[in-house]
Amino acid sequence: MFCAIHRWLISRALDDGRRAQPAPTRRHVQRCAECRRFADALDRVHRRLASEHPVMTETAAPELARRIDRALPAHLPSAPSGVGRLQWLQAAAAALLLVAVFIAALSLPEPAPTPAAEFAQASPNDRPTLNRLSASGDLLLAVSRRAESPMHQEIQHLQKHAADTGRFIVDCLDLRLTP
Amino acid sequence: MTIPAPPITDCLTDEALALAAQAGNRAAFTQLVERYSSRLYCFLRQKVRNNQDAEDLVQETFMRAFQKIRLYDSRWRFSTWLYTVAARLAVSHYRKHRERPVPAPVVETPPDPQDVLHRQEEAAQVWTLARDLNPDYFQLLWLRYQEEMPIKDIAHVVQRTRLQVRVQLHRARGALARKLVDGYPEAIPAESAGTRQTVSCG
Ligand SMILES: [Zn+2]
Protein backbone atom coordinates (compact mmCIF):
# COMPACT_ATOMS: atom_id res chain seq x y z
CA MET A 1 0.00 0.00 0.00
CA PHE A 2 2.70 2.45 1.00
CA CYS A 3 4.76 1.48 -2.02
CA ALA A 4 1.90 2.49 -4.37
CA ILE A 5 1.61 5.91 -2.70
CA HIS A 6 5.35 6.50 -2.79
CA ARG A 7 5.50 5.51 -6.46
CA TRP A 8 2.81 8.06 -7.26
CA LEU A 9 4.80 10.69 -5.37
CA ILE A 10 8.00 9.71 -7.20
CA SER A 11 6.24 10.15 -10.55
CA ARG A 12 4.54 13.37 -9.49
CA ALA A 13 7.86 14.91 -8.42
CA LEU A 14 9.09 14.56 -12.03
CA ASP A 15 6.49 17.13 -13.10
CA ASP A 16 7.29 19.64 -10.38
CA GLY A 17 10.59 21.06 -11.56
CA ARG A 18 11.45 22.79 -8.32
CA ARG A 19 9.94 20.31 -5.87
CA ALA A 20 11.87 17.09 -5.28
CA GLN A 21 10.37 13.95 -3.78
CA PRO A 22 8.96 14.47 -0.28
CA ALA A 23 11.36 13.47 2.53
CA PRO A 24 9.31 10.40 3.65
CA THR A 25 9.38 9.13 0.05
CA ARG A 26 13.15 9.64 -0.18
CA ARG A 27 13.57 7.68 3.04
CA HIS A 28 11.25 4.93 1.79
CA VAL A 29 13.17 4.65 -1.49
CA GLN A 30 16.42 4.18 0.43
CA ARG A 31 14.89 1.25 2.31
CA CYS A 32 12.74 -0.36 -0.43
CA ALA A 33 14.63 -2.04 -3.29
CA GLU A 34 11.54 -2.36 -5.51
CA CYS A 35 10.66 1.32 -5.20
CA ARG A 36 14.30 2.18 -5.90
CA ARG A 37 14.09 0.18 -9.13
CA PHE A 38 10.81 1.91 -9.96
CA ALA A 39 12.35 5.34 -9.37
CA ASP A 40 15.41 4.49 -11.50
CA ALA A 41 13.27 3.16 -14.36
CA LEU A 42 10.99 6.18 -14.31
CA ASP A 43 13.90 8.57 -14.15
CA ARG A 44 15.44 6.89 -17.22
CA VAL A 45 12.16 7.25 -19.16
CA HIS A 46 11.80 10.85 -18.01
CA ARG A 47 15.30 11.78 -19.17
CA ARG A 48 14.88 10.05 -22.52
CA LEU A 49 11.56 11.77 -23.17
CA ALA A 50 13.16 15.11 -22.43
CA SER A 51 16.31 14.60 -24.50
CA GLU A 52 15.16 12.60 -27.56
CA HIS A 53 13.19 13.97 -30.46
CA PRO A 54 10.64 12.06 -32.48
CA VAL A 55 11.24 11.09 -36.10
CA MET A 56 8.17 11.66 -38.20
CA THR A 57 8.90 10.15 -41.58
CA GLU A 58 5.46 10.15 -43.13
CA THR A 59 5.22 13.89 -43.74
CA ALA A 60 7.18 16.29 -45.91
CA ALA A 61 7.68 18.61 -42.93
CA PRO A 62 9.41 21.60 -44.59
CA GLU A 63 6.86 21.55 -47.39
CA LEU A 64 3.96 21.54 -44.94
CA ALA A 65 4.82 24.95 -43.48
CA ARG A 66 5.23 26.48 -46.94
CA ARG A 67 1.94 25.01 -48.15
CA ILE A 68 0.06 26.27 -45.11
CA ASP A 69 1.57 29.72 -45.35
CA ARG A 70 0.66 29.97 -49.04
CA ALA A 71 -2.93 28.99 -48.24
CA LEU A 72 -3.31 31.80 -45.68
CA PRO A 73 -4.49 35.26 -46.78
CA ALA A 74 -1.81 37.79 -47.69
CA HIS A 75 -2.83 40.24 -44.99
CA LEU A 76 -3.67 39.75 -41.35
CA PRO A 77 -7.10 41.00 -40.30
CA SER A 78 -6.74 44.67 -39.53
CA ALA A 79 -7.87 46.28 -36.31
CA PRO A 80 -11.26 48.06 -36.38
CA SER A 81 -10.74 51.49 -37.95
CA GLY A 82 -9.52 54.11 -35.52
CA VAL A 83 -8.39 51.60 -32.91
CA GLY A 84 -4.78 51.51 -34.13
CA ARG A 85 -4.50 55.29 -34.04
CA LEU A 86 -6.18 55.36 -30.62
CA GLN A 87 -3.63 52.85 -29.31
CA TRP A 88 -0.81 55.02 -30.57
CA LEU A 89 -2.32 58.09 -28.90
CA GLN A 90 -2.76 56.16 -25.65
CA ALA A 91 0.84 54.93 -25.83
CA ALA A 92 2.15 58.43 -26.54
CA ALA A 93 0.09 59.84 -23.64
CA ALA A 94 1.43 57.11 -21.35
CA ALA A 95 5.01 57.90 -22.38
CA LEU A 96 4.45 61.63 -21.71
CA LEU A 97 2.92 60.84 -18.34
CA LEU A 98 5.89 58.66 -17.46
CA VAL A 99 8.33 61.46 -18.35
CA ALA A 100 6.25 63.95 -16.32
CA VAL A 101 6.29 61.64 -13.29
CA PHE A 102 10.06 61.29 -13.42
CA ILE A 103 10.62 65.05 -13.83
CA ALA A 104 8.29 65.71 -10.90
CA ALA A 105 10.08 63.08 -8.80
CA LEU A 106 13.47 64.67 -9.57
CA SER A 107 12.28 68.20 -8.74
CA LEU A 108 10.89 67.24 -5.30
CA PRO A 109 12.70 69.19 -2.51
CA GLU A 110 15.16 67.28 -0.33
CA PRO A 111 13.73 66.67 3.17
CA ALA A 112 15.02 69.25 5.71
CA PRO A 113 17.68 67.95 8.14
CA THR A 114 16.30 67.06 11.59
CA PRO A 115 17.26 69.62 14.27
CA ALA A 116 18.51 66.92 16.64
CA ALA A 117 21.71 68.76 17.59
CA GLU A 118 19.93 72.05 18.46
CA PHE A 119 17.27 70.09 20.36
CA ALA A 120 19.94 68.46 22.56
CA GLN A 121 21.51 71.83 23.38
CA ALA A 122 18.20 73.52 24.42
CA SER A 123 17.61 74.54 28.04
CA PRO A 124 15.00 72.57 30.13
CA ASN A 125 12.64 75.60 29.93
CA ASP A 126 12.67 75.57 26.12
CA ARG A 127 12.03 71.81 25.82
CA PRO A 128 8.13 71.84 26.04
CA THR A 129 7.98 74.44 23.26
CA LEU A 130 10.44 72.47 21.19
CA ASN A 131 8.44 69.25 21.78
CA ARG A 132 5.27 71.01 20.55
CA LEU A 133 7.17 72.28 17.51
CA SER A 134 8.56 68.80 16.89
CA ALA A 135 5.05 67.31 17.07
CA SER A 136 3.73 69.84 14.55
CA GLY A 137 6.79 69.03 12.40
CA ASP A 138 5.80 65.36 12.45
CA LEU A 139 2.28 66.40 11.46
CA LEU A 140 3.67 68.43 8.56
CA LEU A 141 5.78 65.46 7.48
CA ALA A 142 2.71 63.18 7.56
CA VAL A 143 0.74 65.72 5.50
CA SER A 144 3.55 66.02 2.97
CA ARG A 145 3.73 62.21 2.73
CA ARG A 146 0.00 62.12 2.06
CA ALA A 147 0.55 64.75 -0.60
CA GLU A 148 3.12 62.47 -2.23
CA SER A 149 0.80 59.47 -2.23
CA PRO A 150 -1.15 60.34 -5.42
CA MET A 151 2.17 60.21 -7.24
CA HIS A 152 2.90 56.83 -5.71
CA GLN A 153 -0.56 55.70 -6.75
CA GLU A 154 0.15 56.88 -10.24
CA ILE A 155 3.43 54.98 -10.40
CA GLN A 156 1.64 51.86 -9.20
CA HIS A 157 -1.02 52.45 -11.81
CA LEU A 158 1.67 52.69 -14.48
CA GLN A 159 3.22 49.47 -13.29
CA LYS A 160 -0.14 47.77 -13.78
CA HIS A 161 0.04 48.79 -17.40
CA ALA A 162 3.47 47.29 -17.99
CA ALA A 163 1.93 44.76 -20.37
CA ASP A 164 0.44 47.55 -22.50
CA THR A 165 3.82 49.23 -22.55
CA GLY A 166 5.37 45.96 -23.73
CA ARG A 167 2.81 45.79 -26.51
CA PHE A 168 3.62 49.34 -27.44
CA ILE A 169 7.33 48.47 -27.79
CA VAL A 170 6.50 45.46 -29.95
CA ASP A 171 4.29 47.65 -32.12
CA CYS A 172 7.28 49.92 -32.62
CA LEU A 173 9.42 46.89 -33.48
CA ASP A 174 6.78 45.80 -35.95
CA LEU A 175 7.24 48.98 -37.94
CA ARG A 176 10.86 47.98 -38.51
CA LEU A 177 9.89 44.40 -39.36
CA THR A 178 7.41 45.28 -42.06
CA PRO A 179 9.09 44.72 -45.41
CA MET B 1 31.57 36.74 -49.85
CA THR B 2 29.32 37.68 -46.97
CA ILE B 3 26.77 35.39 -45.39
CA PRO B 4 23.33 37.05 -45.37
CA ALA B 5 22.09 37.89 -41.89
CA PRO B 6 19.10 35.86 -40.69
CA PRO B 7 15.78 37.73 -40.75
CA ILE B 8 15.09 39.67 -37.57
CA THR B 9 12.00 37.51 -36.91
CA ASP B 10 14.32 34.50 -36.28
CA CYS B 11 15.57 36.09 -33.05
CA LEU B 12 12.17 36.89 -31.56
CA THR B 13 10.27 34.80 -29.04
CA ASP B 14 6.97 33.24 -30.07
CA GLU B 15 5.12 35.73 -27.88
CA ALA B 16 6.87 38.73 -29.48
CA LEU B 17 6.05 37.34 -32.93
CA ALA B 18 2.41 36.87 -31.94
CA LEU B 19 2.23 40.47 -30.71
CA ALA B 20 3.83 41.66 -33.95
CA ALA B 21 1.26 39.61 -35.88
CA GLN B 22 -1.50 41.21 -33.81
CA ALA B 23 -0.20 44.55 -35.03
CA GLY B 24 -0.55 43.28 -38.64
CA ASN B 25 2.94 41.93 -39.34
CA ARG B 26 2.46 39.07 -41.82
CA ALA B 27 6.16 38.02 -41.79
CA ALA B 28 5.89 37.41 -38.06
CA PHE B 29 2.95 35.05 -38.63
CA THR B 30 4.88 33.17 -41.34
CA GLN B 31 7.66 32.63 -38.82
CA LEU B 32 5.15 31.15 -36.37
CA VAL B 33 3.85 28.80 -39.10
CA GLU B 34 7.43 27.64 -39.75
CA ARG B 35 8.11 27.10 -36.06
CA TYR B 36 4.92 25.18 -35.29
CA SER B 37 3.75 23.26 -38.40
CA SER B 38 5.72 20.07 -37.78
CA ARG B 39 5.18 20.20 -34.04
CA LEU B 40 1.43 20.55 -34.41
CA TYR B 41 1.43 17.82 -37.04
CA CYS B 42 3.13 15.38 -34.62
CA PHE B 43 0.68 16.36 -31.88
CA LEU B 44 -2.42 15.93 -34.05
CA ARG B 45 -1.28 12.92 -36.06
CA GLN B 46 -1.72 10.55 -33.11
CA LYS B 47 -5.24 11.78 -32.52
CA VAL B 48 -6.59 11.43 -36.06
CA ARG B 49 -4.55 8.40 -37.21
CA ASN B 50 -4.45 9.66 -40.79
CA ASN B 51 -1.75 11.80 -42.46
CA GLN B 52 -4.07 13.84 -44.64
CA ASP B 53 -6.51 14.61 -41.82
CA ALA B 54 -3.59 15.66 -39.61
CA GLU B 55 -2.26 18.04 -42.27
CA ASP B 56 -5.74 19.47 -42.82
CA LEU B 57 -6.12 20.03 -39.08
CA VAL B 58 -2.75 21.80 -38.87
CA GLN B 59 -3.85 24.08 -41.69
CA GLU B 60 -7.22 24.69 -40.03
CA THR B 61 -5.47 25.50 -36.76
CA PHE B 62 -3.32 28.16 -38.42
CA MET B 63 -6.30 29.53 -40.31
CA ARG B 64 -8.19 29.89 -37.02
CA ALA B 65 -5.14 31.42 -35.30
CA PHE B 66 -4.69 33.82 -38.23
CA GLN B 67 -8.29 35.02 -37.97
CA LYS B 68 -8.28 35.23 -34.18
CA ILE B 69 -4.76 36.49 -33.57
CA ARG B 70 -6.14 39.65 -31.94
CA LEU B 71 -7.68 37.49 -29.21
CA TYR B 72 -4.28 36.10 -28.18
CA ASP B 73 -3.54 37.20 -24.62
CA SER B 74 0.19 37.62 -24.01
CA ARG B 75 -0.17 36.52 -20.39
CA TRP B 76 -0.27 32.97 -21.82
CA ARG B 77 2.56 31.36 -23.72
CA PHE B 78 1.83 31.42 -27.44
CA SER B 79 2.30 27.64 -27.63
CA THR B 80 -0.44 27.15 -25.02
CA TRP B 81 -2.85 29.30 -27.01
CA LEU B 82 -2.06 27.60 -30.34
CA TYR B 83 -2.23 24.07 -28.93
CA THR B 84 -5.55 24.92 -27.28
CA VAL B 85 -6.94 25.92 -30.69
CA ALA B 86 -5.54 22.70 -32.21
CA ALA B 87 -6.85 20.44 -29.45
CA ARG B 88 -10.38 21.87 -29.74
CA LEU B 89 -10.38 21.43 -33.50
CA ALA B 90 -9.16 17.85 -33.04
CA VAL B 91 -12.01 17.11 -30.63
CA SER B 92 -14.65 18.44 -33.04
CA HIS B 93 -12.97 16.58 -35.93
CA TYR B 94 -13.09 13.38 -33.88
CA ARG B 95 -16.79 13.89 -33.08
CA LYS B 96 -17.62 14.61 -36.70
CA HIS B 97 -15.78 11.56 -38.06
CA ARG B 98 -16.57 9.10 -35.28
CA GLU B 99 -18.88 7.06 -37.48
CA ARG B 100 -16.67 7.15 -40.55
CA PRO B 101 -15.76 3.59 -41.69
CA VAL B 102 -12.17 2.62 -41.13
CA PRO B 103 -10.38 2.12 -44.50
CA ALA B 104 -9.55 -1.47 -45.44
CA PRO B 105 -6.01 -2.45 -44.46
CA VAL B 106 -3.41 -2.40 -47.23
CA VAL B 107 -2.07 -5.86 -48.17
CA GLU B 108 1.50 -5.89 -46.96
CA THR B 109 4.40 -7.04 -49.10
CA PRO B 110 7.28 -8.89 -47.38
CA PRO B 111 9.47 -6.30 -45.64
CA ASP B 112 12.84 -5.29 -47.03
CA PRO B 113 15.63 -6.51 -44.63
CA GLN B 114 17.18 -3.03 -44.69
CA ASP B 115 13.82 -1.60 -43.71
CA VAL B 116 13.48 -4.12 -40.87
CA LEU B 117 16.90 -3.08 -39.51
CA HIS B 118 15.93 0.58 -39.74
CA ARG B 119 12.65 -0.03 -37.90
CA GLN B 120 14.46 -1.95 -35.17
CA GLU B 121 16.82 1.00 -34.65
CA GLU B 122 13.86 3.35 -34.69
CA ALA B 123 11.94 1.24 -32.18
CA ALA B 124 14.62 1.97 -29.62
CA GLN B 125 13.60 5.59 -29.75
CA VAL B 126 11.37 6.49 -26.90
CA TRP B 127 9.05 8.60 -29.07
CA THR B 128 8.52 5.77 -31.54
CA LEU B 129 7.31 3.68 -28.62
CA ALA B 130 5.21 6.56 -27.32
CA ARG B 131 3.33 6.63 -30.62
CA ASP B 132 1.94 3.18 -29.84
CA LEU B 133 0.37 4.40 -26.60
CA ASN B 134 -3.16 5.66 -26.14
CA PRO B 135 -3.33 8.92 -28.22
CA ASP B 136 -4.32 10.89 -25.11
CA TYR B 137 -1.17 9.72 -23.33
CA PHE B 138 0.94 10.62 -26.35
CA GLN B 139 -0.52 14.13 -26.45
CA LEU B 140 0.18 14.73 -22.76
CA LEU B 141 3.75 13.45 -23.08
CA TRP B 142 4.20 15.66 -26.13
CA LEU B 143 3.03 18.82 -24.37
CA ARG B 144 5.01 17.99 -21.25
CA TYR B 145 8.34 17.01 -22.85
CA GLN B 146 8.49 18.42 -26.37
CA GLU B 147 6.71 21.69 -25.57
CA GLU B 148 7.96 21.80 -21.97
CA MET B 149 4.58 23.07 -20.77
CA PRO B 150 3.80 23.34 -17.08
CA ILE B 151 0.94 21.19 -15.78
CA LYS B 152 -1.32 24.25 -15.54
CA ASP B 153 -0.95 24.96 -19.29
CA ILE B 154 -1.39 21.31 -20.28
CA ALA B 155 -4.62 21.20 -18.26
CA HIS B 156 -5.81 24.30 -20.14
CA VAL B 157 -5.00 22.80 -23.55
CA VAL B 158 -6.64 19.41 -22.96
CA GLN B 159 -9.52 20.80 -20.84
CA ARG B 160 -8.87 18.59 -17.82
CA THR B 161 -8.02 19.23 -14.20
CA ARG B 162 -4.39 19.44 -13.11
CA LEU B 163 -4.81 16.28 -11.07
CA GLN B 164 -6.19 14.38 -14.07
CA VAL B 165 -3.19 15.52 -16.12
CA ARG B 166 -0.76 14.41 -13.41
CA VAL B 167 -2.42 11.00 -13.08
CA GLN B 168 -2.40 10.43 -16.84
CA LEU B 169 1.24 11.47 -17.14
CA HIS B 170 2.03 9.03 -14.34
CA ARG B 171 0.28 6.26 -16.27
CA ALA B 172 1.82 7.22 -19.60
CA ARG B 173 5.36 7.14 -18.20
CA GLY B 174 4.57 3.79 -16.55
CA ALA B 175 3.32 2.38 -19.85
CA LEU B 176 6.52 3.51 -21.57
CA ALA B 177 8.76 2.19 -18.78
CA ARG B 178 7.08 -1.19 -19.18
CA LYS B 179 8.16 -1.25 -22.84
CA LEU B 180 11.65 0.13 -22.27
CA VAL B 181 12.94 -1.25 -18.99
CA ASP B 182 13.38 -4.96 -18.31
CA GLY B 183 11.83 -6.01 -15.01
CA TYR B 184 10.09 -2.68 -14.50
CA PRO B 185 8.18 -2.78 -11.20
CA GLU B 186 4.54 -1.71 -11.70
CA ALA B 187 3.34 1.57 -10.23
CA ILE B 188 0.83 -0.41 -8.17
CA PRO B 189 2.66 -3.41 -6.68
CA ALA B 190 0.90 -6.77 -7.12
CA GLU B 191 0.75 -7.46 -3.40
CA SER B 192 -1.11 -4.21 -2.64
CA ALA B 193 -3.42 -4.29 -5.66
CA GLY B 194 -4.66 -7.81 -5.04
CA THR B 195 -4.30 -8.66 -8.73
CA ARG B 196 -1.55 -7.32 -10.97
CA GLN B 197 -2.71 -4.07 -12.56
CA THR B 198 -1.99 -3.15 -16.13
CA VAL B 199 -2.67 0.16 -17.78
CA SER B 200 -4.70 0.05 -20.94
CA CYS B 201 -2.85 1.55 -23.89
CA GLY B 202 -5.53 1.02 -26.49
ZN1 LIG C 1 8.38 0.47 -1.69
Side-chain angles (χ1 to χ4, degrees), chain B residues 54-184:
Chain B
E55 288 194 16
D56 290 349
L57 268 181
V58 176
Q59 180 153 341
E60 218 179 314
T61 301
F62 279 113
M63 186 58 87
R64 192 66 63 91
F66 191 92
Q67 289 159 350
K68 308 271 178 192
I69 191 71
R70 290 205 163 263
L71 300 181
Y72 165 64
D73 179 347
S74 58
R75 281 175 301 179
W76 288 93
R77 293 181 354 163
F78 177 74
S79 60
T80 304
W81 185 73
L82 191 66
Y83 273 97
T84 305
V85 174
R88 287 182 191 173
L89 285 172
V91 168
S92 54
H93 171 93
Y94 179 76
R95 284 194 191 130
K96 227 185 287 172
H97 297 84
R98 211 169 5 199
E99 271 97 49
R100 196 167 67 173
V102 177
V106 179
V107 180
E108 297 216 353
T109 50
D112 176 0
Q114 272 285 326
D115 205 36
V116 170
L117 192 70
H118 178 69
R119 283 207 65 81
Q120 278 170 352
E121 279 168 9
E122 213 186 47
Q125 289 184 340
V126 72
W127 285 101
T128 305
L129 295 172
R131 286 167 71 184
D132 294 333
L133 300 178
N134 174 327
D136 287 345
Y137 287 177
F138 178 91
Q139 289 200 330
L140 293 175
L141 290 173
W142 182 271
L143 296 174
R144 169 74 184 84
Y145 289 98
Q146 289 294 310
E147 294 297 339
E148 296 177 3
M149 274 188 202
I151 299 291
K152 166 178 76 81
D153 288 28
I154 298 175
H156 188 266
V157 171
V158 298
Q159 300 285 290
R160 289 196 203 122
T161 66
R162 292 179 200 194
L163 184 65
Q164 284 170 333
V165 169
R166 284 180 193 283
V167 169
Q168 290 216 308
L169 277 172
H170 172 59
R171 288 182 182 159
R173 277 190 295 253
L176 264 185
R178 209 169 296 125
K179 287 166 181 264
L180 277 168
V181 183
D182 286 336
Y184 163 75

Side-chain angles (χ1 to χ4, degrees), chain A residues 7 15 37 46 48 174 177, chain B residues 8 25 124 144-145 183 186:
Chain A
R7 287 176 197 184
D15 296 320
R37 274 179 49 219
H46 173 73
R48 286 190 65 178
D174 171 57
L177 286 172
Chain B
I8 192 166
N25 190 298
R144 169 74 184 84
Y145 289 98
E186 290 295 327

Side-chain angles (χ1 to χ4, degrees), chain A residues 2-4 6-7 28-29 32-36, chain B residues 189:
Chain A
F2 287 121
C3 287
H6 287 301
R7 287 176 197 184
H28 175 86
V29 169
C32 176
E34 276 289 280
C35 282
R36 209 161 41 243

Side-chain angles (χ1 to χ4, degrees), chain A:
Chain A
M1 182 65 207
F2 287 121
C3 287
I5 295 168
H6 287 301
R7 287 176 197 184
W8 155 247
L9 293 172
I10 290 165
S11 180
R12 191 192 151 110
L14 294 173
D15 296 320
D16 296 333
R18 285 168 299 167
R19 194 166 49 166
Q21 292 165 10
T25 299
R26 281 204 305 275
R27 281 197 295 274
H28 175 86
V29 169
Q30 280 170 357
R31 286 196 310 271
C32 176
E34 276 289 280
C35 282
R36 209 161 41 243
R37 274 179 49 219
F38 174 87
D40 288 346
L42 219 58
D43 189 55
R44 233 182 301 166
V45 170
H46 173 73
R47 273 186 282 122
R48 286 190 65 178
L49 282 166
S51 62
E52 291 179 22
H53 297 285
V55 184
M56 288 285 178
T57 47
E58 70 263 29
T59 178
E63 257 305 301
L64 180 63
R66 254 169 277 155
R67 246 184 302 142
I68 289 171
D69 197 56
R70 273 201 300 268
L72 292 171
H75 298 286
L76 280 150
S78 57
S81 65
V83 169
R85 187 172 298 172
L86 190 66
Q87 279 175 346
W88 273 102
L89 283 173
Q90 280 171 346
L96 276 174
L97 185 66
L98 205 65
V99 170
V101 165
F102 278 116
I103 290 172
L106 286 174
S107 61
L108 276 179
E110 288 286 315
T114 50
E118 291 89 319
F119 202 99
Q121 285 164 8
S123 70
N125 287 345
D126 292 335
R127 283 216 172 122
T129 320
L130 278 171
N131 278 339
R132 272 202 303 279
L133 278 171
S134 170
S136 54
D138 288 344
L139 186 69
L140 269 173
L141 198 64
V143 168
S144 73
R145 276 195 188 129
R146 225 170 290 152
E148 269 181 55
S149 68
M151 184 178 289
H152 289 149
Q153 281 170 4
E154 198 57 52
I155 290 168
Q156 278 169 350
H157 188 68
L158 284 173
Q159 280 172 341
K160 274 190 221 157
H161 290 278
D164 289 358
T165 314
R167 185 171 297 203
F168 164 66
I169 291 166
V170 171
D171 278 357
C172 294
L173 183 68
D174 171 57
L175 284 182
R176 270 178 272 136
L177 286 172
T178 308

